[in-house]
Each structure stands twice: as structure tokens, then as C-alpha cells.
Amino acid sequence: MSVTNLEALLRPNSLAIIGASREETSVSAMLMKNLLASRFLGPVLPVSGVQEAIFGILSYPSIESLPLTPDLAVVCSPVGQAPQILDQLGQAGVRAAILMDPGY
């Protein structure tokens, strides 16, 4: 991994939450709440094929529909979808990803 990609992982300027949800017990909901309460100043881009907004933040139906390429993507989708999602993220130019789901 290059230093540039490490910067994207450790100090992202923007991030996408893949598989975002408002379900209180979900990993993505806890992550969204923590990000919104933190001092992270960059755009947070939830991707949810189901919900139009997550905690007041406009949600996008797919990775391809994001208005910008995030530095970091946090994948909160089921483990079986990870290979396809990682491929889509790579094609979109996302430089770093974290897989975060109880199934990993």
C-alpha cells in the first residue's frame, strides 16, 4: 500500500458508509451517529439502496451515484457482498476501505 493510500485510510477528507442504515442496533447507524457527533469535517456519504436519508444526511442508491469519490469507504454490508463492493469501490477510484460488519 502506498503512502498516499495510507493517508486516505488514516486521515480521510471524505468517506462513504456502504450499507448505511437507520436501524439503531446496526454497525452503520452507530458509525453514522459517531461521525456526526465527532469533529470530522469532511463529507459523509451514506450509500443505501433502501433509505433516502440517514439521520438527516442524503443517502445515495449506489457507489456509482456518489457525487464525489471518497478517500475512504466503510463497508457495513453483509460479508457475502464484500468482493463485489470492493470491486465497485476500486473501479470508482476509492483509495482505502474498511470492512466492518459482525460477520467479518
Side-chain angles (χ1 to χ4, degrees):
M1 178 180 280
S2 73
V3 173
T4 303
N5 290 340
L6 279 175
E7 286 287 326
L9 176 67
L10 300 175
R11 277 184 265 180
N13 291 314
S14 58
L15 59 94
I17 309 298
I18 312 300
S21 171
R22 289 185 298 233
E23 186 178 321
E24 291 295 322
T25 59
S26 71
V27 171
S28 64
M30 288 185 260
L31 178 60
M32 285 288 298
K33 285 181 180 180
N34 286 334
L35 282 168
L36 295 173
S38 76
R39 294 175 17 183
F40 183 74
L41 300 176
V44 176
L45 308 163
V47 176
S48 171
V50 180
Q51 297 167 341
E52 210 171 282
I54 310 290
F55 303 121
I57 307 293
L58 178 65
S59 179
Y60 299 90
S62 66
I63 294 164
E64 295 81 16
S65 67
L66 291 172
L68 58 91
T69 301
D71 289 335
L72 173 64
V74 181
V75 180
C76 299
S77 299
V79 68
Q81 297 175 5
Q84 177 185 2
I85 291 170
L86 291 173
D87 185 52
Q88 291 172 358
L89 291 170
Q91 289 180 27
V94 178
R95 298 181 304 160
I98 297 172
L99 303 177
M100 181 180 265
D101 184 78
Y104 291 107

Coordinates of all heavy atoms in Angstrom, one line a residue:
M1 N 0.9 -1.2 0.0 CA 0.0 0.0 0.0 C 0.9 1.2 0.0 O 1.8 1.3 0.8 CB -0.9 0.0 1.2 CG -1.8 1.2 1.3 SD -2.9 1.2 2.8 CE -4.2 0.1 2.2
S2 N 0.6 2.2 -0.9 CA 1.4 3.4 -0.9 C 1.1 4.3 0.2 O 0.1 4.2 0.9 CB 1.1 4.1 -2.3 OG -0.2 4.7 -2.2
V3 N 2.0 5.3 0.4 CA 1.8 6.3 1.5 C 0.5 7.1 1.2 O -0.2 7.4 2.1 CB 3.0 7.2 1.6 CG1 2.8 8.4 2.5 CG2 4.2 6.4 2.0
T4 N 0.2 7.4 -0.1 CA -1.0 8.1 -0.4 C -2.2 7.3 0.0 O -3.2 7.9 0.6 CB -1.1 8.3 -2.0 OG1 0.1 9.0 -2.4 CG2 -2.3 9.1 -2.3
N5 N -2.2 6.0 -0.2 CA -3.4 5.2 0.3 C -3.5 5.2 1.8 O -4.5 5.1 2.4 CB -3.3 3.9 -0.4 CG -3.6 3.9 -1.8 OD1 -4.2 4.9 -2.4 ND2 -3.2 2.9 -2.6
L6 N -2.3 5.1 2.5 CA -2.3 5.2 3.9 C -2.9 6.5 4.4 O -3.7 6.5 5.4 CB -0.9 5.0 4.5 CG -0.4 3.5 4.5 CD1 1.0 3.5 5.0 CD2 -1.3 2.7 5.4
E7 N -2.6 7.6 3.8 CA -3.2 8.9 4.2 C -4.7 8.8 4.0 O -5.5 9.3 4.9 CB -2.7 10.0 3.3 CG -1.3 10.4 3.6 CD -1.2 11.2 4.9 OE1 -2.1 11.9 5.3 OE2 -0.2 11.0 5.6
A8 N -5.2 8.2 3.0 CA -6.7 8.0 2.8 C -7.3 7.2 3.8 O -8.4 7.4 4.3 CB -6.9 7.4 1.4
L9 N -6.6 6.2 4.3 CA -7.1 5.3 5.4 C -7.1 6.0 6.7 O -8.0 5.9 7.5 CB -6.3 4.0 5.4 CG -6.6 3.0 6.5 CD1 -8.0 2.4 6.3 CD2 -5.6 1.9 6.5
L10 N -5.9 6.6 7.1 CA -5.7 7.1 8.4 C -6.2 8.6 8.6 O -6.6 8.9 9.7 CB -4.3 7.1 8.8 CG -3.7 5.6 8.8 CD1 -2.2 5.7 9.0 CD2 -4.4 4.7 9.8
R11 N -6.3 9.3 7.5 CA -6.7 10.7 7.6 C -7.6 11.1 6.4 O -7.2 11.9 5.6 CB -5.5 11.7 7.7 CG -5.0 11.8 9.1 CD -3.9 12.8 9.1 NE -2.7 12.0 9.0 CZ -1.5 12.6 9.0 NH1 -1.3 13.8 9.0 NH2 -0.4 11.8 8.9
P12 N -8.7 10.5 6.2 CA -9.6 10.7 5.1 C -10.2 12.1 5.1 O -10.4 12.7 6.2 CB -10.6 9.7 5.1 CG -10.8 9.4 6.6 CD -9.4 9.5 7.2
N13 N -10.3 12.7 3.9 CA -11.0 14.0 3.8 C -12.5 13.8 3.6 O -13.3 14.7 3.7 CB -10.4 14.9 2.7 CG -9.0 15.3 3.1 OD1 -8.8 15.8 4.2 ND2 -8.1 15.2 2.2
S14 N -12.9 12.6 3.1 CA -14.3 12.3 2.8 C -14.4 10.8 3.0 O -13.5 10.1 2.8 CB -14.6 12.7 1.4 OG -13.8 12.1 0.4
L15 N -15.6 10.4 3.3 CA -15.9 9.0 3.4 C -17.3 8.6 3.1 O -18.2 9.4 3.2 CB -15.5 8.5 4.8 CG -16.1 9.0 6.1 CD1 -17.3 8.1 6.5 CD2 -15.1 9.0 7.2
A16 N -17.4 7.3 2.7 CA -18.7 6.8 2.3 C -19.0 5.6 3.3 O -18.1 4.9 3.7 CB -18.7 6.2 0.9
I17 N -20.2 5.5 3.7 CA -20.7 4.4 4.5 C -21.5 3.5 3.6 O -22.7 3.9 3.2 CB -21.5 4.9 5.7 CG1 -20.8 6.0 6.5 CG2 -21.9 3.7 6.6 CD1 -19.5 5.6 7.1
I18 N -21.0 2.4 3.2 CA -21.7 1.5 2.3 C -22.6 0.5 3.1 O -22.1 -0.1 4.1 CB -20.7 0.6 1.5 CG1 -19.6 1.5 0.9 CG2 -21.4 -0.2 0.4 CD1 -20.1 2.6 -0.1
G19 N -23.9 0.5 2.8 CA -24.8 -0.3 3.5 C -25.4 0.5 4.7 O -25.7 -0.1 5.8
A20 N -25.5 1.8 4.6 CA -25.9 2.6 5.7 C -27.4 2.3 6.0 O -28.2 2.0 5.2 CB -25.8 4.1 5.2
S21 N -27.6 2.5 7.3 CA -29.0 2.1 7.8 C -29.3 3.0 9.0 O -28.4 3.5 9.7 CB -29.0 0.7 8.2 OG -30.2 0.4 8.9
R22 N -30.6 3.2 9.3 CA -31.0 3.9 10.5 C -31.4 3.0 11.6 O -31.7 3.4 12.7 CB -32.3 4.8 10.2 CG -32.1 5.9 9.3 CD -33.3 6.7 9.1 NE -34.4 5.9 8.5 CZ -35.0 6.3 7.4 NH1 -34.8 7.5 6.8 NH2 -35.9 5.5 6.9
E23 N -31.3 1.7 11.4 CA -31.6 0.7 12.4 C -30.7 0.9 13.6 O -29.5 0.7 13.4 CB -31.5 -0.7 11.8 CG -32.0 -1.8 12.8 CD -31.9 -3.2 12.2 OE1 -32.1 -3.3 11.0 OE2 -31.5 -4.1 12.9
E24 N -31.2 1.2 14.7 CA -30.4 1.6 15.9 C -29.3 0.6 16.3 O -28.3 1.1 16.7 CB -31.4 1.8 17.1 CG -32.3 3.0 17.0 CD -31.5 4.3 17.0 OE1 -30.5 4.5 17.7 OE2 -32.0 5.2 16.2
T25 N -29.5 -0.7 16.1 CA -28.5 -1.6 16.5 C -27.5 -2.0 15.4 O -26.6 -2.8 15.7 CB -29.2 -2.9 17.0 OG1 -30.0 -3.5 15.9 CG2 -30.1 -2.7 18.2
S26 N -27.6 -1.4 14.3 CA -26.7 -1.7 13.2 C -25.4 -1.0 13.3 O -25.3 0.1 13.9 CB -27.3 -1.3 11.8 OG -27.4 0.1 11.7
V27 N -24.3 -1.6 12.8 CA -23.0 -1.1 12.9 C -23.0 0.3 12.1 O -22.4 1.2 12.6 CB -22.0 -2.1 12.2 CG1 -20.6 -1.4 12.1 CG2 -21.9 -3.3 13.1
S28 N -23.6 0.3 11.0 CA -23.6 1.6 10.2 C -24.3 2.7 10.9 O -23.8 3.9 10.8 CB -24.2 1.3 8.8 OG -25.6 1.0 8.9
A29 N -25.4 2.4 11.6 CA -26.1 3.5 12.4 C -25.2 4.0 13.5 O -25.1 5.3 13.7 CB -27.4 3.0 12.9
M30 N -24.5 3.2 14.2 CA -23.6 3.6 15.3 C -22.5 4.4 14.7 O -22.1 5.4 15.3 CB -23.1 2.4 16.1 CG -24.2 1.7 16.9 SD -23.5 0.4 17.9 CE -24.0 -1.0 17.0
L31 N -21.9 4.0 13.6 CA -20.8 4.7 12.9 C -21.3 6.1 12.5 O -20.6 7.1 12.7 CB -20.3 3.9 11.7 CG -19.2 4.5 10.9 CD1 -18.0 4.8 11.7 CD2 -18.9 3.6 9.7
M32 N -22.5 6.1 11.8 CA -23.0 7.4 11.4 C -23.2 8.4 12.6 O -22.8 9.6 12.5 CB -24.3 7.2 10.6 CG -24.2 6.7 9.3 SD -23.6 7.9 8.0 CE -24.8 9.2 8.1
K33 N -23.8 7.9 13.6 CA -24.0 8.7 14.8 C -22.7 9.3 15.4 O -22.6 10.4 15.7 CB -24.8 8.0 15.9 CG -26.2 7.8 15.6 CD -26.9 7.1 16.7 CE -28.3 6.9 16.5 NZ -29.0 6.2 17.6
N34 N -21.7 8.4 15.5 CA -20.4 8.8 16.0 C -19.7 9.8 15.1 O -19.1 10.8 15.5 CB -19.5 7.6 16.2 CG -19.9 6.8 17.4 OD1 -20.5 7.3 18.3 ND2 -19.5 5.5 17.3
L35 N -19.8 9.6 13.8 CA -19.2 10.6 12.8 C -19.9 11.9 12.9 O -19.2 13.0 12.9 CB -19.3 10.0 11.4 CG -18.3 9.0 11.0 CD1 -18.6 8.3 9.7 CD2 -16.9 9.6 10.9
L36 N -21.2 11.9 13.0 CA -22.0 13.2 13.0 C -21.7 13.9 14.4 O -21.8 15.2 14.4 CB -23.4 12.9 12.8 CG -23.8 12.4 11.4 CD1 -25.3 12.1 11.4 CD2 -23.5 13.4 10.4
A37 N -21.4 13.2 15.4 CA -21.1 13.8 16.7 C -19.6 14.2 16.9 O -19.3 14.9 17.8 CB -21.5 12.9 17.8
S38 N -18.8 13.7 16.0 CA -17.4 14.0 16.1 C -17.0 15.3 15.4 O -17.8 16.0 14.9 CB -16.6 12.8 15.4 OG -16.6 12.9 14.0
R39 N -15.7 15.5 15.4 CA -15.1 16.7 14.7 C -14.7 16.4 13.3 O -13.9 17.2 12.7 CB -14.0 17.2 15.6 CG -14.5 17.7 16.9 CD -13.5 18.1 17.9 NE -12.2 18.4 17.5 CZ -11.2 18.8 18.3 NH1 -11.4 18.8 19.6 NH2 -10.0 19.0 17.9
F40 N -15.2 15.4 12.7 CA -14.9 15.1 11.3 C -15.6 16.1 10.4 O -16.8 16.3 10.5 CB -15.3 13.7 10.9 CG -15.0 13.3 9.5 CD1 -13.6 13.0 9.2 CD2 -15.9 13.3 8.5 CE1 -13.3 12.7 7.8 CE2 -15.6 13.0 7.2 CZ -14.2 12.7 6.9
L41 N -14.8 16.9 9.6 CA -15.4 18.0 8.9 C -15.7 17.7 7.4 O -16.3 18.5 6.7 CB -14.4 19.2 9.0 CG -14.1 19.7 10.4 CD1 -13.1 20.8 10.4 CD2 -15.4 20.2 11.0
G42 N -15.2 16.6 6.9 CA -15.4 16.2 5.5 C -16.8 15.7 5.3 O -17.6 15.4 6.2
P43 N -17.1 15.5 4.0 CA -18.4 14.9 3.7 C -18.5 13.5 4.1 O -17.6 12.7 3.9 CB -18.5 15.1 2.2 CG -17.2 15.5 1.7 CD -16.4 15.9 2.8
V44 N -19.7 13.1 4.6 CA -20.0 11.7 4.9 C -21.1 11.3 4.0 O -22.2 12.0 3.9 CB -20.5 11.6 6.4 CG1 -20.9 10.1 6.7 CG2 -19.4 12.0 7.4
L45 N -20.9 10.3 3.2 CA -21.8 9.9 2.1 C -22.4 8.5 2.4 O -21.7 7.5 2.0 CB -21.0 9.9 0.8 CG -20.2 11.2 0.4 CD1 -19.2 10.9 -0.6 CD2 -21.2 12.3 0.1
P46 N -23.6 8.5 2.9 CA -24.2 7.2 3.2 C -24.7 6.6 1.8 O -25.2 7.3 1.0 CB -25.3 7.4 4.1 CG -25.6 8.9 4.1 CD -24.4 9.6 3.5
V47 N -24.4 5.3 1.6 CA -24.9 4.6 0.5 C -25.9 3.5 1.0 O -25.6 2.6 1.7 CB -23.8 3.9 -0.3 CG1 -24.4 3.1 -1.5 CG2 -22.8 5.0 -0.8
S48 N -27.2 3.7 0.6 CA -28.2 2.7 1.0 C -29.2 2.6 -0.2 O -29.7 3.6 -0.7 CB -29.0 3.3 2.2 OG -30.1 2.5 2.5
G49 N -29.4 1.4 -0.6 CA -30.3 1.2 -1.7 C -31.8 1.2 -1.2 O -32.7 1.1 -2.0
V50 N -32.0 1.4 0.1 CA -33.3 1.4 0.6 C -33.8 2.7 1.1 O -34.9 3.1 0.9 CB -33.4 0.3 1.8 CG1 -34.8 0.3 2.4 CG2 -32.9 -1.0 1.3
Q51 N -33.0 3.4 1.9 CA -33.4 4.7 2.6 C -32.9 5.9 1.9 O -31.8 6.0 1.4 CB -32.9 4.6 4.0 CG -33.5 3.4 4.8 CD -32.9 3.2 6.1 OE1 -31.8 3.6 6.3 NE2 -33.6 2.4 7.0
E52 N -33.8 6.9 1.8 CA -33.5 8.1 1.1 C -32.5 9.0 1.9 O -31.7 9.8 1.3 CB -34.7 8.9 0.8 CG -34.7 9.7 -0.4 CD -36.1 10.3 -0.8 OE1 -36.9 9.5 -1.4 OE2 -36.3 11.4 -0.5
A53 N -32.6 9.0 3.2 CA -31.7 9.8 4.1 C -31.4 9.0 5.3 O -32.3 8.2 5.8 CB -32.4 11.1 4.4
I54 N -30.3 9.2 5.9 CA -29.8 8.5 7.1 C -29.5 9.6 8.1 O -28.5 10.4 7.9 CB -28.6 7.6 6.9 CG1 -28.8 6.6 5.7 CG2 -28.2 6.9 8.1 CD1 -29.8 5.6 5.9
F55 N -30.3 9.7 9.2 CA -30.1 10.8 10.2 C -29.9 12.2 9.6 O -29.0 12.9 10.0 CB -28.8 10.4 11.1 CG -28.9 9.1 11.7 CD1 -28.0 8.1 11.5 CD2 -30.0 8.8 12.6 CE1 -28.1 6.9 12.1 CE2 -30.1 7.5 13.2 CZ -29.2 6.6 12.9
G56 N -30.8 12.5 8.6 CA -30.8 13.8 8.0 C -29.8 14.0 6.9 O -29.7 15.1 6.3
I57 N -29.0 13.0 6.6 CA -28.0 13.1 5.5 C -28.5 12.4 4.3 O -28.9 11.2 4.4 CB -26.6 12.5 5.9 CG1 -26.2 13.1 7.3 CG2 -25.6 12.6 4.8 CD1 -25.8 14.5 7.2
L58 N -28.5 13.1 3.1 CA -29.0 12.5 1.9 C -28.2 11.2 1.6 O -27.0 11.1 1.7 CB -28.8 13.4 0.7 CG -29.2 12.9 -0.7 CD1 -30.7 12.7 -0.7 CD2 -28.7 13.9 -1.7
S59 N -28.9 10.1 1.3 CA -28.3 8.8 1.0 C -28.3 8.6 -0.5 O -29.2 9.1 -1.2 CB -29.1 7.7 1.7 OG -28.6 6.5 1.4
Y60 N -27.3 7.9 -1.0 CA -27.2 7.6 -2.4 C -27.5 6.1 -2.6 O -27.2 5.2 -1.8 CB -25.8 7.9 -2.9 CG -25.5 9.4 -2.7 CD1 -24.9 9.8 -1.5 CD2 -25.9 10.3 -3.6 CE1 -24.7 11.2 -1.3 CE2 -25.7 11.7 -3.4 CZ -25.1 12.1 -2.2 OH -24.9 13.4 -2.0
P61 N -28.1 5.8 -3.8 CA -28.6 4.4 -4.0 C -27.5 3.5 -4.4 O -27.6 2.2 -4.3 CB -29.6 4.6 -5.2 CG -29.2 5.8 -5.9 CD -28.6 6.7 -4.8
S62 N -26.3 4.0 -4.8 CA -25.2 3.1 -5.3 C -23.9 3.8 -5.2 O -23.9 5.1 -5.1 CB -25.4 2.7 -6.7 OG -25.4 3.8 -7.6
I63 N -22.8 3.1 -5.3 CA -21.5 3.7 -5.3 C -21.3 4.6 -6.5 O -20.8 5.7 -6.4 CB -20.4 2.6 -5.2 CG1 -20.5 1.9 -3.9 CG2 -19.0 3.1 -5.5 CD1 -19.8 0.5 -3.8
E64 N -21.8 4.1 -7.6 CA -21.7 4.9 -8.9 C -22.4 6.2 -8.8 O -22.1 7.1 -9.6 CB -22.3 4.0 -10.0 CG -21.5 2.8 -10.3 CD -21.8 1.6 -9.4 OE1 -22.9 1.7 -8.7 OE2 -21.1 0.7 -9.4
S65 N -23.4 6.4 -8.0 CA -24.2 7.6 -7.9 C -23.6 8.6 -6.9 O -24.1 9.7 -6.8 CB -25.6 7.3 -7.5 OG -25.7 6.8 -6.1
L66 N -22.5 8.3 -6.3 CA -21.9 9.3 -5.4 C -21.4 10.5 -6.1 O -20.9 10.4 -7.2 CB -20.7 8.7 -4.6 CG -21.1 7.6 -3.6 CD1 -19.8 6.9 -3.1 CD2 -21.8 8.1 -2.5
P67 N -21.6 11.7 -5.6 CA -21.3 13.0 -6.3 C -19.7 13.2 -6.3 O -19.3 14.1 -7.0 CB -22.0 14.0 -5.5 CG -22.1 13.5 -4.1 CD -22.3 12.0 -4.3
L68 N -19.0 12.5 -5.5 CA -17.5 12.6 -5.4 C -17.0 11.3 -5.0 O -17.7 10.4 -4.5 CB -17.1 13.7 -4.5 CG -17.5 13.6 -3.0 CD1 -16.4 12.9 -2.2 CD2 -17.6 15.0 -2.5
T69 N -15.7 11.1 -5.3 CA -15.0 9.9 -4.9 C -14.5 10.0 -3.5 O -13.6 10.9 -3.3 CB -13.8 9.6 -5.9 OG1 -14.4 9.5 -7.2 CG2 -13.1 8.3 -5.5
P70 N -15.0 9.3 -2.6 CA -14.5 9.4 -1.2 C -13.1 8.8 -1.1 O -12.7 7.9 -1.8 CB -15.5 8.6 -0.4 CG -16.0 7.6 -1.3 CD -16.0 8.3 -2.7
D71 N -12.3 9.4 -0.1 CA -11.0 8.8 0.2 C -11.1 7.4 0.8 O -10.3 6.6 0.5 CB -10.3 9.7 1.2 CG -9.8 11.0 0.6 OD1 -9.7 11.1 -0.6 OD2 -9.7 12.0 1.4
L72 N -12.1 7.3 1.7 CA -12.3 6.1 2.4 C -13.7 5.6 2.4 O -14.6 6.4 2.4 CB -11.9 6.3 3.9 CG -12.2 5.2 4.9 CD1 -11.3 4.0 4.6 CD2 -11.9 5.7 6.3
A73 N -13.9 4.3 2.2 CA -15.2 3.7 2.3 C -15.3 2.7 3.5 O -14.3 1.9 3.6 CB -15.6 3.0 1.0
V74 N -16.3 2.8 4.3 CA -16.5 1.8 5.3 C -17.7 0.9 4.9 O -18.8 1.4 4.7 CB -16.8 2.5 6.7 CG1 -17.0 1.4 7.8 CG2 -15.7 3.5 7.1
V75 N -17.4 -0.4 4.7 CA -18.4 -1.3 4.2 C -19.0 -2.0 5.3 O -18.4 -2.7 6.1 CB -17.7 -2.3 3.2 CG1 -18.7 -3.3 2.7 CG2 -17.0 -1.6 2.1
C76 N -20.3 -1.7 5.5 CA -21.1 -2.3 6.6 C -22.2 -3.3 6.0 O -23.2 -3.5 6.6 CB -21.8 -1.2 7.4 SG -20.7 0.0 8.1
S77 N -21.9 -3.7 4.8 CA -22.8 -4.7 4.2 C -22.5 -6.1 4.6 O -21.4 -6.4 5.0 CB -22.7 -4.5 2.6 OG -23.1 -3.3 2.3
P78 N -23.4 -7.1 4.3 CA -23.1 -8.5 4.7 C -21.8 -9.0 4.0 O -21.5 -8.6 2.9 CB -24.3 -9.2 4.2 CG -25.4 -8.2 4.2 CD -24.7 -6.9 3.9
V79 N -21.1 -9.8 4.7 CA -19.8 -10.3 4.2 C -19.8 -10.9 2.8 O -18.9 -10.8 2.0 CB -19.2 -11.3 5.2 CG1 -20.0 -12.6 5.3 CG2 -17.7 -11.6 5.0
G80 N -20.9 -11.5 2.4 CA -21.0 -12.1 1.1 C -21.0 -11.1 0.0 O -20.7 -11.5 -1.2
Q81 N -21.3 -9.9 0.3 CA -21.3 -8.8 -0.8 C -20.0 -8.1 -0.9 O -19.8 -7.3 -1.8 CB -22.4 -7.8 -0.4 CG -23.8 -8.4 -0.4 CD -24.9 -7.3 0.0 OE1 -24.5 -6.2 0.3 NE2 -26.1 -7.8 0.1
A82 N -19.1 -8.4 0.0 CA -17.8 -7.7 0.1 C -17.0 -7.7 -1.2 O -16.5 -6.7 -1.7 CB -17.0 -8.1 1.3
P83 N -16.8 -8.9 -1.9 CA -16.0 -8.9 -3.1 C -16.5 -7.9 -4.2 O -15.8 -7.2 -4.8 CB -16.0 -10.3 -3.5 CG -16.2 -11.1 -2.3 CD -17.2 -10.2 -1.5
Q84 N -17.8 -8.0 -4.4 CA -18.5 -7.1 -5.4 C -18.3 -5.7 -5.0 O -18.0 -4.8 -5.9 CB -19.9 -7.5 -5.6 CG -20.7 -6.6 -6.6 CD -22.2 -7.0 -6.6 OE1 -22.7 -7.8 -5.9 NE2 -22.9 -6.3 -7.5
I85 N -18.6 -5.3 -3.8 CA -18.5 -3.9 -3.3 C -17.1 -3.4 -3.4 O -16.8 -2.3 -3.9 CB -19.0 -3.8 -1.9 CG1 -20.5 -4.0 -1.8 CG2 -18.7 -2.5 -1.3 CD1 -21.1 -4.2 -0.5
L86 N -16.1 -4.2 -3.0 CA -14.7 -3.8 -3.1 C -14.3 -3.6 -4.6 O -13.6 -2.6 -4.9 CB -13.8 -4.8 -2.5 CG -13.9 -4.9 -0.9 CD1 -13.0 -6.0 -0.4 CD2 -13.5 -3.5 -0.3
D87 N -14.8 -4.4 -5.5 CA -14.5 -4.2 -6.9 C -15.1 -2.9 -7.4 O -14.5 -2.1 -8.1 CB -15.1 -5.4 -7.7 CG -14.8 -5.3 -9.2 OD1 -13.6 -5.1 -9.5 OD2 -15.7 -5.4 -10.0
Q88 N -16.4 -2.6 -7.0 CA -17.0 -1.3 -7.4 C -16.3 -0.1 -6.8 O -16.1 0.9 -7.5 CB -18.5 -1.3 -6.9 CG -19.4 -2.3 -7.6 CD -20.7 -2.3 -6.9 OE1 -21.0 -1.7 -5.9 NE2 -21.6 -3.1 -7.5
L89 N -15.8 -0.2 -5.6 CA -15.1 0.9 -4.9 C -13.7 1.1 -5.7 O -13.4 2.2 -5.9 CB -14.8 0.6 -3.5 CG -16.0 0.6 -2.5 CD1 -15.6 0.0 -1.2 CD2 -16.6 2.0 -2.4
G90 N -13.1 0.0 -6.0 CA -11.8 0.2 -6.8 C -12.1 0.8 -8.2 O -11.3 1.7 -8.6
Q91 N -13.1 0.4 -8.8 CA -13.4 1.0 -10.1 C -13.8 2.5 -10.0 O -13.5 3.3 -10.9 CB -14.5 0.2 -10.8 CG -14.1 -1.1 -11.3 CD -15.2 -1.9 -12.0 OE1 -16.2 -1.3 -12.5 NE2 -15.2 -3.2 -11.9
A92 N -14.4 2.8 -8.9 CA -14.7 4.3 -8.6 C -13.5 5.1 -8.2 O -13.6 6.3 -8.2 CB -15.8 4.3 -7.6
G93 N -12.4 4.5 -7.9 CA -11.2 5.2 -7.5 C -11.0 5.4 -6.0 O -10.2 6.2 -5.6
V94 N -11.8 4.8 -5.2 CA -11.7 4.9 -3.8 C -10.4 4.3 -3.4 O -10.1 3.1 -3.8 CB -12.9 4.2 -3.0 CG1 -12.7 4.3 -1.5 CG2 -14.2 4.9 -3.5
R95 N -9.6 5.0 -2.6 CA -8.2 4.5 -2.3 C -8.1 3.6 -1.1 O -7.1 3.0 -0.9 CB -7.3 5.7 -2.1 CG -7.3 6.5 -3.4 CD -6.4 7.7 -3.3 NE -6.8 8.6 -2.2 CZ -6.0 9.5 -1.7 NH1 -4.8 9.6 -2.1 NH2 -6.4 10.2 -0.7
A96 N -9.1 3.6 -0.2 CA -9.0 2.7 1.0 C -10.4 2.3 1.4 O -11.4 3.0 1.2 CB -8.3 3.5 2.2
A97 N -10.4 1.1 2.1 CA -11.7 0.6 2.5 C -11.5 -0.2 3.8 O -10.5 -0.8 4.1 CB -12.4 -0.3 1.5
I98 N -12.5 -0.1 4.7 CA -12.6 -0.9 5.9 C -13.8 -1.7 5.9 O -14.9 -1.2 5.5 CB -12.7 0.1 7.1 CG1 -11.4 1.0 7.2 CG2 -12.9 -0.7 8.4 CD1 -11.5 2.0 8.3
L99 N -13.7 -3.0 6.2 CA -14.8 -3.9 6.2 C -15.3 -4.0 7.7 O -14.5 -4.4 8.5 CB -14.4 -5.3 5.7 CG -13.9 -5.3 4.3 CD1 -13.5 -6.7 3.9 CD2 -14.9 -4.8 3.3
M100 N -16.5 -3.6 7.9 CA -17.0 -3.5 9.3 C -18.4 -4.1 9.4 O -19.4 -3.4 9.1 CB -16.9 -2.0 9.7 CG -17.4 -1.8 11.2 SD -17.3 -0.1 11.6 CE -15.7 0.0 12.3
D101 N -18.5 -5.3 9.8 CA -19.8 -5.9 10.0 C -19.6 -7.1 10.9 O -18.5 -7.7 10.9 CB -20.3 -6.4 8.6 CG -21.7 -7.0 8.7 OD1 -22.7 -6.2 8.8 OD2 -21.9 -8.3 8.8
P102 N -20.6 -7.4 11.7 CA -20.4 -8.6 12.7 C -20.0 -9.9 12.0 O -19.4 -10.7 12.6 CB -21.7 -8.7 13.4 CG -22.3 -7.3 13.2 CD -21.8 -6.8 11.9
G103 N -20.3 -10.0 10.7 CA -20.0 -11.3 10.0 C -18.5 -11.4 9.6 O -18.1 -12.5 9.1
Y104 N -17.7 -10.4 9.7 CA -16.3 -10.5 9.2 C -15.5 -11.1 10.3 O -15.5 -10.9 11.4 CB -15.8 -9.1 8.9 CG -16.5 -8.5 7.7 CD1 -17.4 -7.4 7.8 CD2 -16.2 -9.0 6.4 CE1 -18.0 -6.9 6.6 CE2 -16.8 -8.5 5.3 CZ -17.7 -7.4 5.4 OH -18.3 -6.9 4.3

